[in-house]
Amino acid sequence: MEEKKIPYKIYLSEDEMPKAWYNVRADMTNKPAPLLNPATHQPMTAQKLGAVFCDELIQQELDDTTPYFPIPEEIRNFYKMYRPSPLVRAYCLEEKLKTPAKIYYKFEGNNTSGSHKLNSAIAQAYYAKNQGLKGVTTETGAGQWGTALSMACAYLGLDCRVYMVKCSYEQKPFRREVMRTYGAQVTPSPSNTTEVGRKILEQFPGTSGSLGCAISEAVEAATSMEGYRYVLGSVLNQVLLHQTVIGLDTQTALKKYGIKPDVILGCAGGGSNLGGLISPFVGEKLRGEADYQIIAVEPASCPSLTRGVFRYDFCDTGAICPLAKMYTLGNGFIPSASHAGGLRYHGMSPVVSQLYHDGLMEARSVEQTSVFAAAEEFARCEGILPAPESSHAIRVAMDEAIRCRETGEEKTILFGLTGTGYFDMVAYGKYNDGDMSDYIPTDADLQRGFDSIPKFPGNE
Amino acid sequence: MEEKKIPYKIYLSEDEMPKAWYNVRADMTNKPAPLLNPATHQPMTAQKLGAVFCDELIQQELDDTTPYFPIPEEIRNFYKMYRPSPLVRAYCLEEKLKTPAKIYYKFEGNNTSGSHKLNSAIAQAYYAKNQGLKGVTTETGAGQWGTALSMACAYLGLDCRVYMVKCSYEQKPFRREVMRTYGAQVTPSPSNTTEVGRKILEQFPGTSGSLGCAISEAVEAATSMEGYRYVLGSVLNQVLLHQTVIGLDTQTALKKYGIKPDVILGCAGGGSNLGGLISPFVGEKLRGEADYQIIAVEPASCPSLTRGVFRYDFCDTGAICPLAKMYTLGNGFIPSASHAGGLRYHGMSPVVSQLYHDGLMEARSVEQTSVFAAAEEFARCEGILPAPESSHAIRVAMDEAIRCRETGEEKTILFGLTGTGYFDMVAYGKYNDGDMSDYIPTDADLQRGFDSIPKFPGNE
């Protein structure tokens, strides 16, 4: 196809936005392993999951054969409020790097949640509403997911209860205020409102909380209140499914202008954004229609793909959730206090893990000072202040573009820019003051994490 | 014209974006009065202004006959990085208000400066660069303008020095960090770096500063350094000229879908956003091509149009800048500490003032608690967390829509949504806690302000 003049930003029209989510599992030869009941080590049944999750979402979670799930009209209407998100040609970055590479990024941050999280939040809230529930509970660390969920619930008139890791609750009061503005009830975790919270407070009186603990509290709250279910913002198959609007949008925009990316990359914490971006392209690969180099970028401080093991492990540190087969550092691994809160997760989505295991994608890890250097350079020429999480992808995209300058290759690089950094200025301040350091876990640190992975036959 | 199906958001293509700014003064019968030299009360000459402002910008400032100024290509390319901004149909708000009115808003907040300020910042930085200058100085209160200017300067490789009102510098450290990330040098004002700053510090040792003082410092810094000029983010004719991209974009989008607004409104502090939005529509009115009801919305705590007088007054509280003929509360008027920092200005742009004086537009004032109530309602159904300043327009747009519900009128209401509130969460927190109050100046308060307006023949 003849190359058309590429605008700075490609916006799809409403008619061109996807009408169905794409389920990459349908095209995978090796399906992601099923969630296991930690007591029996048998696959979790829909019935068992129904105590925690909404019914329709469980169907999406368990279905690995249906390639497309229609997006209900009410969700598509919500998407129209902040989507289509632009596919941006990074002309200014290319010029600054003096690279022959062409760089594109799919920008998901132009909404009040500040990230791609809204894509799944509205879907999960919609199905909860549809099931006649009163509300949902969840946990949030850095706050993007909690914000997104509170926005979705406000829109649908659903109650929203967020357990926010106590140190974030105290250090990020502005994120908390956004959630409150959207009517959510935000509780610092651990709290006195749940049994598990009280137990943890008794055991560790001064604790500032953890994501694992907040998950446990949110799950307990959901299962102990009539008309509530628990929702999660990453890792799960259903979340990746909803996030495929990112990749489907991108695919349509690229096709419209006859652009074929050589490299596709994104940051990976739990895998929701990366999985959503790459799924349709991985589908092409799996069906033998096209080939792409796909790269997951993770922090060197929490390297689940590059240094983890492929095992069944708990999704939470409290070890009450089902077991998922994934690349993991162990549910007991404690990542250092990096500024990319959204990437501080010990595991990786089963879908992304399986694709990585099968050699359909690569992974790289990067250190946070080099990530902030890339973020600043990007901000100054592209005009967007990126989230620390998203900046991991910027770092590797820039490295690839610089390599192209050296080799003369005219590669087309596509990356996902998941969010903005407006609530991360403490981190930027540290970087501006030259006061930021890197942390790479030692082999002994990793071993301590691996020791927390449950041992049972077939899980070695 | 037959009405087409209106999408949630109308994005223009790059080709449809304006290639020239529109100078409404060319169509005005009564031109805005010229700036006066405060010493002689004679019109400021281009030569005299040249010590403070860039040459090309002075031409734009003084020219009230040329209807269009071409937008240089480099500026248009920068615009493409964050524009076109969407014209949004507020379907969800309409539904929530159960109004027969149709509501549209032009959203200028989807960029890292968080507001429309970038439209003029890049223009002013461009002309400074073009003149071979090393850098620019400015003041900032709430921080949007300083952020926008630092972004524009980073893009062009120009030095940027921002005097930030000391209380904002301390209370809004995150805004300050954004500017630093863009390489700007940010100084709390009053400071020891200028003569006027030292004088003020000596006189008022504990002062937390004011916009007027910061202007004085920025002007002194610009005129005392080789290769620097001063730039301003509102009030001036040149700023309104650059901001007409807002109105021109809107006009094109409306015409494309055959939409004719009945009411057009926006918040007004110095008048830059409102002036930019309404200019092309006022032009149609002035040329007898169409009629619109146009409303400026200002805070009841700083009501320059609704309770001010039309006089020559200083643009700054330091009384060192030229005199402008405008609606003013007096350069000595001290607005209460409202949360809409961008609207706390004693005067109003001469263009807007003249249009208001000539009956081409109306003005209304609103109180801040009702503004935050509107902001929250808007955020919950439209998904955007608005800036407190912008929310003044939301308040009146909603009031108009509610009136339509009562009368059954199917009016089309258009308002400018200038920015996002991500750095205003302290204010939202106060509102969420029920801890926000209103303040309306008494007649005696106003009289004290009026007493500070300079008296000379013809200025009564």
Side-chain angles (χ1 to χ4, degrees), chain A residues 282-334:
Chain A
V282 168
E284 292 182 33
K285 255 180 116 151
L286 288 161
R287 297 188 304 269
E289 295 164 8
D291 197 21
Y292 305 100
Q293 183 186 14
I294 296 174
I295 309 171
V297 187
E298 57 185 15
S301 59
C302 195
S304 55
L305 288 173
T306 51
R307 296 178 71 194
V309 291
F310 192 40
R311 295 276 192 288
Y312 265 109
D313 193 11
F314 286 103
C315 295
D316 62 324
T317 11
I320 61 165
C321 288
L323 296 167
K325 178 118 185 233
M326 55 185 179
Y327 276 86
T328 178
L329 298 164
N331 61 75
F333 177 78
I334 299 161

Side-chain angles (χ1 to χ4, degrees), chain A residues 7-9 14 77 81-83 92 110 112 151 177 180-183 379-380 383-385 422 429 432-433, chain B residues 7-9 14 77 81-83 92 110 112 151 177 180-183 379-380 383-385 422 429 432-433:
Chain A
Y8 278 64
K9 293 189 289 180
E14 284 181 5
N77 283 342
M81 293 207 307
Y82 69 99
R83 309 188 67 81
C92 302
N110 260 354
T112 288
M151 289 173 68
E177 251 0 289
R180 286 183 69 207
T181 300
Y182 281 94
R380 289 186 185 188
I384 295 169
L385 189 84
Y422 306 141
N432 292 336
D433 290 336
Chain B
Y8 278 64
K9 294 188 290 183
E14 284 181 5
N77 282 343
M81 293 209 307
Y82 70 101
R83 307 189 70 80
C92 303
N110 259 354
T112 288
M151 289 174 68
E177 257 350 299
R180 285 183 69 208
T181 300
Y182 281 94
R380 289 186 185 188
I384 295 169
L385 189 84
Y422 307 140
N432 291 336
D433 291 335

Side-chain angles (χ1 to χ4, degrees), chain A residues 93-94 97-104 262-266 293-297 362-364 366 374 392-415:
Chain A
L93 183 62
E94 290 171 17
L97 298 177
K98 299 195 196 323
T99 177
K102 295 180 181 75
I103 309 175
Y104 293 87
D262 299 296
V263 189
I264 303 173
L265 55 93
Q293 183 186 14
I294 296 174
I295 309 171
V297 187
E362 313 162 23
R364 289 197 201 150
V366 288
H392 285 66
I394 298 176
R395 173 73 274 163
V396 172
M398 283 173 63
D399 290 346
E400 288 293 313
I402 291 165
R403 199 192 320 268
C404 286
R405 180 178 66 204
E406 285 154 10
T407 64
E409 285 174 288
E410 292 184 23
K411 281 191 184 172
T412 296
I413 300 164
L414 165 68
F415 70 95

Side-chain angles (χ1 to χ4, degrees), chain B residues 16-335:
Chain B
E16 294 168 318
M17 287 167 65
K19 292 177 182 61
W21 294 300
Y22 168 63
N23 182 10
V24 70
R25 289 167 289 163
D27 282 316
M28 288 169 73
T29 316
N30 301 323
K31 311 286 184 189
L35 296 173
L36 295 189
N37 183 324
T40 63
H41 299 154
Q42 293 302 305
M44 289 291 289
T45 59
Q47 199 200 350
K48 191 94 185 166
L49 287 167
V52 179
F53 297 111
C54 303
D55 299 340
E56 194 85 23
L57 291 166
I58 294 168
Q59 296 312 315
Q60 298 179 355
E61 188 65 31
L62 300 178
D63 186 336
D64 58 10
T65 55
T66 306
Y68 287 96
F69 286 87
I71 307 173
E73 197 187 348
E74 198 161 356
I75 297 176
R76 282 193 283 131
N77 282 343
F78 187 88
Y79 282 164
K80 287 176 192 168
M81 293 209 307
Y82 70 101
R83 307 189 70 80
S85 63
L87 177 68
V88 187
R89 173 75 183 266
Y91 282 116
C92 303
L93 183 63
E94 290 171 17
E95 199 183 308
K96 189 157 179 191
L97 297 177
K98 301 197 196 319
T99 176
K102 296 181 181 75
I103 310 175
Y104 292 87
Y105 55 94
K106 177 68 171 171
F107 180 38
E108 290 286 323
N110 259 354
N111 69 72
T112 288
S113 83
S115 80
H116 66 292
K117 294 286 183 185
L118 209 45
N119 300 331
S120 185
I122 185 60
Q124 297 194 47
Y126 169 82
Y127 291 116
K129 175 87 178 176
N130 228 25
Q131 197 176 321
L133 299 176
K134 286 184 214 154
V136 290
T137 72
T138 199
E139 77 293 326
T140 201
Q144 280 98 331
W145 169 246
T147 309
L149 190 67
S150 65
M151 289 174 68
C153 287
Y155 178 77
L156 295 169
L158 211 57
D159 189 34
C160 179
R161 309 214 173 169
V162 181
Y163 287 85
M164 187 172 189
V165 177
K166 193 185 268 174
C167 66
S168 291
Y169 183 91
E170 283 158 3
Q171 285 168 13
K172 295 201 164 187
F174 294 164
R175 273 273 182 214
R176 183 182 79 204
E177 257 350 299
V178 178
M179 289 183 255
R180 285 183 69 208
T181 300
Y182 281 94
Q185 182 182 314
V186 188
T187 307
S189 167
S191 75
N192 276 317
T193 66
T194 64
E195 208 169 299
V196 61
R198 287 188 292 272
K199 203 177 287 176
I200 290 166
L201 282 173
E202 209 177 278
Q203 217 175 335
F204 310 100
T207 181
S208 60
S210 74
L211 208 52
C213 165
I215 295 179
S216 307
E217 285 204 86
V219 170
E220 183 187 319
T223 50
S224 61
M225 287 187 296
E226 184 66 30
Y228 281 77
R229 290 294 185 282
Y230 166 73
V231 297
L232 182 65
S234 190
V235 182
L236 298 174
N237 299 332
Q238 57 186 269
V239 179
L240 268 75
L241 178 74
H242 306 147
Q243 293 294 357
T244 58
V245 291
I246 305 173
L248 293 165
D249 261 14
T250 307
Q251 206 178 34
T252 305
L254 291 172
K255 279 189 183 151
K256 207 167 158 177
Y257 286 87
I259 306 159
K260 159 84 174 60
D262 299 297
V263 189
I264 304 172
L265 56 94
C267 65
S272 72
N273 128 72
L274 182 76
L277 173 65
I278 67 173
S279 279
F281 299 96
V282 168
E284 292 181 32
K285 255 179 115 150
L286 287 162
R287 296 188 304 268
E289 296 163 7
D291 197 20
Y292 305 100
Q293 184 186 12
I294 296 173
I295 309 170
V297 187
E298 57 184 14
S301 59
C302 194
S304 54
L305 288 173
T306 51
R307 296 177 72 193
V309 292
F310 193 39
R311 295 277 192 286
Y312 265 109
D313 193 10
F314 287 103
C315 295
D316 61 326
T317 11
I320 62 166
C321 289
L323 296 167
K325 179 117 185 233
M326 56 186 178
Y327 276 86
T328 179
L329 298 163
N331 61 76
F333 177 78
I334 300 164

Side-chain angles (χ1 to χ4, degrees), chain B residues 333-354:
Chain B
F333 177 78
I334 300 164
S336 70
S338 100
H339 292 293
L343 304 182
R344 292 181 66 215
Y345 185 66
H346 66 275
M348 179 58 66
S349 111
V351 169
V352 170
S353 292
Q354 189 66 50

